[in-house]
Amino acid sequence: MNSKITKSAMILSLVGLSSGLFAQESTPETTDRFSKKDFRTWSIGLHGGMLTPHTIFRGKNNDFSTPTENWGYGGYIKKQIIPSFGIQADFLAGHVEGLRATTPSTTVNTGTEIADSRFKSHVEWAASVSGNFTIANLSMNQKRSVISPYLTGGIGYMSSNAETTNVPGGGKGYSEDWFVPVGAGIKFGLTKAVNLDLGYTVNFVKDDNFDGYVAGSRNDNFSYAHAGIEIALGKKGSSQLSNYSAVAALREASEAESAELRRALSTQEQNAARDREALMQDLADDDNDGVANKFDKCPNTAAGTVVDGSGCPLKAPAQVVRERVIVTEADRKVVDEAIKNLEFDLGKATIRSKSFSTLDKVAALLVEKNFSLKLAGHTDNSGSMALNLRLSKERAEAVKAYLVNKGANASRIEATGYGPNQPIASNATAEGRQQNRRVEFTLF
């Protein structure tokens, strides 16, 4: 009686442990990625199949040499923790039967068979808790896998009643024993909620009395090959977590990231082309009056028209009598300081703000003394010739545009770009290349 009470308490503890495991939530790392609102994590299964003492581990070398097959049935409740692992509580019942008991022998596999002997064990119930390991979700293109092979292993407790016929020392016997179920199988996803389950399980019993006949030191075992249906519980329309294919999800995410990167690069190239076109349009001089389009307030002036700094015709007579121009040392000093302080953004024709103050002095000088000014842009030999010619021209034009915007007469300022063709130092060193990147000012 005490033994049965102890065993019953152990069964209750086992069931309580499995319930506790099922009730626990996944770790934060798994719930962040595999949220219950996105997947079905609970499922139930029903199955039927063949029970036999013949297993892949023992073959026909059992206490009874001729196994027979009988129907068995069972079911389970499973909680999927992550796509590759779940915990399930199983139930199994049925009959296990064999013929021709083998009497023990001191020589291996030489025992005598009793021809008319047999046993039949009725598995009244067998309950176990197992881990279900999904080996691979075999899908490269769909996040919901259709084929999922798996392995199972756990521990259980069962109640069985063995009956033997013509077996020396055998007879009827009721027993309750621990057993270890180990199995493998494959599931086919029929729908998002239903799987076809094909499996094979070997149950290793704790002692040698499962078949009612103790004939050696080896414990009994029996196998169960089954087919069944698994039904996932949860939100309609969501897939099972056990069918989630991480490979397909990774491939899908990589494709989305690549498409987004391609879109970003395409947009960036379009923006750059648009900016270049806008800059060229701003720096162009369509009416050839010496004022860039960006600053020309009177576009399309007639050829030969004398214009002011905003590109509008001067009211003065067409013939202008110029006085003799005298450039003093002070004037040259103003220009030299502007040259020393002149800086542009890297690879662009944008003048940096630190250059504004000295350029303002040059503009004032041009307005005050009505000087003419030649601006010559130069670069080093880094990059293509076409790029350097365009950049040197754009920088000279940018300086001209700034001076004109400050009131200087556009018709008296000439902007030219020479690219890398007129170096003043060696391009073999960083210092020499820096000296070659310049805009020269010539007053006359």
Side-chain angles (χ1 to χ4, degrees), residues 95-339:
H95 293 86
V96 181
E97 187 174 4
L99 308 175
R100 299 180 184 278
T102 302
T103 60
S105 172
T106 56
T107 304
V108 178
N109 297 332
T110 60
T112 303
E113 293 183 355
I114 304 174
D116 57 348
S117 60
R118 67 186 303 136
F119 88 94
K120 187 174 185 179
S121 291
H122 173 52
V123 180
E124 297 177 344
W125 55 265
S128 63
V129 175
S130 300
N132 186 299
F133 301 87
T134 302
I135 301 174
N137 290 320
L138 304 180
S139 177
M140 297 294 291
N141 298 318
Q142 300 294 328
K143 288 190 289 185
R144 186 175 73 86
S145 177
V146 177
I147 303 175
S148 302
Y150 66 87
L151 298 174
T152 61
I155 187 171
Y157 198 76
M158 77 163 119
S159 172
S160 62
N161 194 347
E163 181 178 351
T164 60
T165 302
N166 295 329
V167 178
K172 295 182 178 181
Y174 173 82
S175 65
E176 293 181 354
D177 291 305
W178 291 96
F179 71 99
V180 174
V182 177
I186 187 168
K187 293 181 181 180
F188 299 88
L190 304 180
T191 68
K192 287 186 176 182
V194 180
N195 294 328
L196 173 63
D197 183 9
L198 304 179
Y200 178 80
T201 305
V202 177
N203 299 280
F204 298 89
V205 186
K206 180 183 177 182
D207 57 34
D208 190 30
N209 195 39
F210 172 74
D211 56 9
Y213 178 46
V214 179
S217 59
R218 293 184 304 175
N219 296 339
D220 291 329
N221 57 26
F222 63 94
S223 64
Y224 176 51
H226 69 269
I229 293 293
E230 179 183 34
I231 301 175
L233 308 176
K235 184 178 179 181
K236 184 178 179 180
S238 59
S239 299
Q240 302 175 60
L241 182 57
S242 60
N243 290 349
Y244 179 80
S245 175
V247 174
L250 179 61
R251 182 194 58 77
E252 182 180 292
S254 298
E255 288 183 353
E257 290 175 359
S258 298
E260 181 63 28
L261 180 59
R262 287 193 295 270
R263 284 194 296 270
L265 290 174
S266 177
T267 301
Q268 185 176 11
E269 290 174 355
Q270 292 174 2
N271 292 340
R274 183 190 61 207
D275 292 343
R276 286 194 298 270
E277 183 178 351
L279 178 61
M280 295 303 296
Q281 180 62 30
D282 289 343
L283 295 178
D285 183 10
D286 293 339
D287 55 7
N288 295 314
D289 61 358
V291 180
N293 292 340
K294 182 177 181 180
F295 304 105
D296 197 341
K297 296 180 180 180
C298 299
N300 302 319
T301 55
T305 302
V306 179
V307 298
D308 59 15
S310 61
C312 294
L314 289 172
K315 295 180 180 180
Q319 292 184 353
V320 178
V321 178
R322 295 186 179 179
E323 298 178 353
R324 184 166 177 260
V325 176
I326 300 176
V327 180
T328 66
E329 287 298 321
D331 298 334
R332 292 191 179 91
K333 184 176 181 181
V334 171
V335 172
D336 291 340
E337 288 179 356
I339 294 174

